[in-house]
Amino acid sequence: MAVPLTAVLRTPAAEAVAAFALLLIAAVALKLVLLWRKLPRSGRSSEERRKKMYAPVAGTVFHHLLNFGRLYDFSTSCARQNPTYRILSPFHSEVYTADPANVEYILKTNFTNYGKGDYNYCTLKDLLGDGIFAVDGEKWWHQRKIASLVFSKRIFREYSSIVFRGNALKLVSVIAQAARSNSRMDIQDIFMKSSMDSIFQVAFGVELNSLSGSNEEERNFTEAFDDANVLISWRYVDPLWKMKKFLNFGCEAELKNKLKVVDDFVYKILTHKVSQSSKQLQKEDILSRLLNEREQDPKNITYQYLRDITLNFLVAGRDSTALTLSWFFYRLCLHASIEEQVVREVNAVTKLIHHDEPIAMDVFTASLTDKVIEKMQYLHATLTETMRLHPAVPLDSICQASGPNYFCHSTRRTAIKLTGRLQDKWSSGAAKYDISFEAKVEASNKHYIFKLDIFLTETPRFVSQMILYQMVMM
């Protein structure tokens, strides 16, 4: 049985080690700063040093460590004082920016000048490997090209729609059963499992069934994958993680065990897929298509590379869908009038519910064509507002390749969640859930971040479908 991360961190021994480590690092950092100030500055005049720009310091990595459970709220409070600020660490610095002009410049206007960098790659590679979320350059472009080709295929879109519809029906069944028995349920956990089943089947062509929890091996993989994600994230606030990894100690020892479970399961599926003949191989899922690519380029597309690509796809699809759904229903629970209007729109557009007569879910599913979903403008607005306040990826970490400003030679994080909540940028109601908020900002001719193509162009179709399937049951 997996030991919860919080239980490991709260043991007396762990706290004592952490306290000693913090004092040691603070002393070393102070000594390094004092030595650095004594070094000669050859080649740079005092005027040049004065002109160099630095963002204000909002805290240190230890502030992130202490606020790890509420990291985004802490970052939001810092951004409200200074939209662009620095977080200091003994070995590197991080620049956070929630300024819309900076975010657009980094993620759109001058996107080619920024990348993941060695710092992020080193932190993430044990889980994500050479996947698209961890690499730059040729490998990044190669995976983007593959993704574009796969997603553009009609057969893949049809296959993914079938998968999402089927798993959404299973999800509705679980929620309906809890409603009939009047029992509590962890809605985010249910969404995570359902999304994992869908994304895993689209990626590997295999039914995971984590929602039912019927298979122990599949259940162990899901738990290990979740724990590995948390432990990898912990590295960003733990200055000693490399030492722990070298000594195979604490969280890094646990991460090693979790990654073994993940790798064993993934490679087992890869071996099974490879053993199938080309005629038996299912062509719709991503892994099958990648195996076809491997036949043409076996030297570069190795089994390790296939593992990395598919796991990155799981991280991207599972978390973004499940988190958006969780926040969406959380907001509906707080705003009953908005919930009623969403249900009313679904009923009106599908034209399948009359006089409260129950309908079969398979009939409702069949009615959800692309044209029908496009007519649900109010549902789209509620999802857009949900993602404004609760984006699936609140922080994006990238390093600058070159340049004279304070982003150079440091990890830069664009704080998308913070940007959508800054009141001085939009209005006094920026932190409130308001369906008309986007229209108000657009009417005032302000630079609105969600009009940028890089953030939100359309609600993902499968997210809309999964929400629609459940709204009828609510």
Side-chain angles (χ1 to χ4, degrees), residues 316-332:
R318 193 278 300 264
D319 290 9
S320 60
T321 304
L323 292 175
T324 300
L325 283 167
S326 300
W327 282 117
F328 176 76
F329 279 96
Y330 169 78
R331 286 296 177 178
L332 290 187

Side-chain angles (χ1 to χ4, degrees), residues 169-182:
L169 288 174
K170 295 178 183 178
L171 176 61
V172 169
S173 177
V174 172
I175 295 176
Q177 183 178 355
R180 285 192 296 267
S181 61
N182 197 28

Side-chain angles (χ1 to χ4, degrees), residues 1-12 14-15 65 68-69 223-238 241 244 249-256 258:
M1 181 177 179
V3 179
L5 177 61
T6 54
V8 175
L9 297 176
R10 291 176 181 174
T11 60
E15 292 178 355
L65 184 64
F68 189 71
E223 293 175 356
F225 185 72
D226 288 340
D227 292 341
N229 270 285
V230 175
L231 291 165
I232 283 290
S233 300
W234 180 254
R235 285 181 170 182
Y236 280 102
V237 296
D238 185 2
W241 73 263
K244 292 178 181 178
F249 168 76
C251 297
E252 288 299 314
E254 184 181 1
L255 175 60
K256 183 179 180 181
K258 300 297 182 183

Side-chain angles (χ1 to χ4, degrees), residues 151-430:
F151 291 126
S152 63
K153 299 290 185 180
R154 180 180 58 84
I155 189 173
F156 175 79
R157 295 197 302 270
E158 292 176 350
Y159 170 70
S160 61
S161 294
I162 293 173
V163 170
F164 286 119
R165 290 167 189 258
N167 284 301
L169 288 174
K170 295 178 183 178
L171 176 61
V172 169
S173 177
V174 172
I175 295 176
Q177 183 178 355
R180 285 192 296 267
S181 61
N182 197 28
S183 58
R184 292 190 176 188
M185 56 184 173
D186 186 338
I187 195 69
Q188 178 170 306
D189 179 64
I190 292 175
F191 285 149
M192 282 287 188
K193 291 178 179 178
S194 179
S195 299
M196 174 64 104
D197 289 345
S198 298
I199 301 300
F200 195 90
Q201 190 171 351
V202 171
F204 292 94
V206 177
E207 293 188 21
L208 191 61
N209 295 319
S210 62
L211 185 61
S212 64
S214 57
N215 186 293
E216 183 179 0
E217 184 181 20
E218 294 169 350
R219 186 169 63 251
N220 291 338
F221 164 77
T222 303
E223 293 175 356
F225 185 72
D226 288 340
D227 292 341
N229 270 285
V230 175
L231 291 165
I232 283 290
S233 300
W234 180 254
R235 285 181 170 182
Y236 280 102
V237 296
D238 185 2
L240 300 179
W241 73 263
K242 290 185 179 180
M243 182 181 71
K244 292 178 181 178
K245 180 182 178 181
F246 177 77
L247 298 174
N248 194 31
F249 168 76
C251 297
E252 288 299 314
E254 184 181 1
L255 175 60
K256 183 179 180 181
N257 294 331
K258 300 297 182 183
L259 289 175
K260 186 179 185 306
V261 175
V262 171
D263 289 344
D264 288 347
F265 188 78
V266 172
Y267 283 123
K268 180 181 178 181
I269 294 176
L270 277 171
T271 303
H272 174 70
K273 283 279 189 179
V274 172
S275 65
Q276 292 179 313
S277 65
S278 58
K279 293 182 179 180
Q280 294 175 327
L281 194 64
Q282 188 176 351
K283 303 297 184 181
E284 294 89 351
D285 62 276
I286 293 177
L287 180 56
S288 296
R289 293 185 173 275
L290 289 174
L291 287 173
N292 291 334
E293 290 280 339
R294 186 178 183 276
E295 293 180 359
Q296 302 176 8
D297 189 10
K299 182 178 179 180
N300 293 319
I301 305 180
T302 62
Y303 291 147
Q304 173 71 38
Y305 195 39
L306 292 175
R307 174 260 186 205
D308 298 341
I309 294 176
T310 47
L311 280 185
N312 277 255
F313 181 80
L314 284 184
V315 173
R318 193 278 300 264
D319 290 9
S320 60
T321 304
L323 292 175
T324 300
L325 283 167
S326 300
W327 282 117
F328 176 76
F329 279 96
Y330 169 78
R331 286 296 177 178
L332 290 187
C333 290
L334 297 180
H335 301 85
S337 60
I338 295 178
E339 179 185 1
E340 292 175 1
Q341 192 161 342
V342 170
V343 174
R344 194 180 304 116
E345 181 186 60
V346 172
N347 295 345
V349 173
T350 57
K351 299 179 181 179
L352 290 176
I353 299 179
H354 303 284
H355 308 295
D356 295 328
E357 295 180 1
I359 63 171
M361 288 307 301
D362 56 346
V363 176
F364 176 72
T365 300
S367 71
L368 293 178
T369 62
D370 289 346
K371 291 183 179 180
V372 169
I373 294 177
E374 289 174 359
K375 295 178 181 178
M376 299 182 184
Q377 298 299 318
Y378 193 79
L379 173 61
H380 187 279
T382 56
L383 285 169
T384 301
E385 181 67 358
T386 299
M387 286 186 275
R388 180 182 71 85
L389 292 175
H390 311 286
V393 185
L395 296 176
D396 184 21
S397 182
I398 299 178
C399 294
Q400 183 176 355
S402 62
N405 60 35
Y406 47 64
F407 293 129
C408 192
H409 306 304
S410 63
T411 301
R412 192 273 311 148
R413 290 176 177 260
T414 54
I416 300 174
K417 176 176 180 178
L418 282 54
T419 306
R421 289 172 175 243
L422 294 186
Q423 295 184 3
D424 60 330
K425 295 296 178 185
W426 315 123
S427 72
S428 58

Side-chain angles (χ1 to χ4, degrees), residues 55-56 58 71-87 94-107 388 391 393-396 406-407 411-426 430 447-450 452 454-455:
L71 186 58
Y72 300 139
D73 292 328
F74 171 78
S75 300
T76 301
S77 63
C78 293
R80 283 174 178 157
Q81 298 180 19
N82 296 291
T84 301
Y85 61 90
R86 281 186 296 160
I87 295 293
E94 293 182 345
V95 178
Y96 288 72
T97 181
D99 188 293
N102 288 339
V103 174
E104 181 178 8
Y105 177 80
I106 294 167
L107 295 185
R388 180 182 71 85
V393 185
L395 296 176
D396 184 21
Y406 47 64
F407 293 129
T411 301
R412 192 273 311 148
R413 290 176 177 260
T414 54
I416 300 174
K417 176 176 180 178
L418 282 54
T419 306
R421 289 172 175 243
L422 294 186
Q423 295 184 3
D424 60 330
K425 295 296 178 185
W426 315 123
H447 175 63
Y448 187 52
I449 192 169
F450 285 91
L452 298 178
I454 53 176
F455 292 109

